[in-house]
Amino acid sequence: GEGETDIRAIALREAEEESGLPAGSISPAACRIFDIDIHPIPPGKGEPAHEHFDLRFHFYADSRLPLTVSDESHDLAWVELDRMEDYTREESLLRMRRKLPISRAAGGKG
């Protein structure tokens, strides 16, 4: 809401809204920011060119739950971490995978 300062709570609410997952089905993996992505936005819609800052958090969710496409999320899918390149080459997403603990990123136990 307006004036809200708990950015992790805001990110959690956005994750629920944009994925269509039910409230309470996503849980934080940590309290701190997981990744910050800064990328240029070209001029448009009456705004000059500027940089956009994405503050990203690491959450857990049950991949057996169905995702819901919405106006904010035009294409969603659960993807195995080792198959991400089949869907994207976006460096900021691949960078986040590299930041995960090796055991989780490799699909191992531990």
Side-chain angles (χ1 to χ4, degrees):
E2 189 174 322
E4 190 169 355
T5 59
D6 184 345
I7 57 175
R8 188 179 61 151
I10 294 167
L12 178 59
R13 187 175 60 248
E14 287 289 318
E16 290 170 347
E17 290 173 1
E18 294 183 17
S19 67
L21 294 174
S25 65
I26 301 174
S27 59
C31 292
R32 66 186 181 279
I33 294 171
F34 181 69
D35 186 71
I36 300 174
D37 186 58
I38 305 169
H39 52 275
I41 302 292
K45 298 182 183 175
E47 290 188 8
H50 60 282
E51 290 184 326
H52 184 87
F53 288 60
D54 282 339
L55 302 179
R56 298 169 172 178
F57 292 85
H58 180 192
F59 294 115
Y60 293 117
D62 186 340
S63 62
R64 295 171 296 184
L65 294 172
L67 300 169
T68 304
V69 174
S70 70
D71 288 340
E72 294 201 32
S73 301
H74 302 286
D75 191 15
L76 295 171
W78 294 111
V79 174
E80 296 289 331
L81 290 173
D82 60 359
R83 294 194 57 219
M84 282 179 62
E85 286 88 352
D86 293 346
Y87 300 89
T88 186
R89 299 283 181 195
E90 186 177 327
E91 172 54 28
S92 73
L93 296 177
L94 300 176
R95 178 183 69 229
M96 285 192 293
R97 180 182 61 185
R98 289 192 302 270
K99 293 170 90 171
L100 293 170
I102 286 294
S103 62
R104 289 199 56 81
K109 297 174 185 160

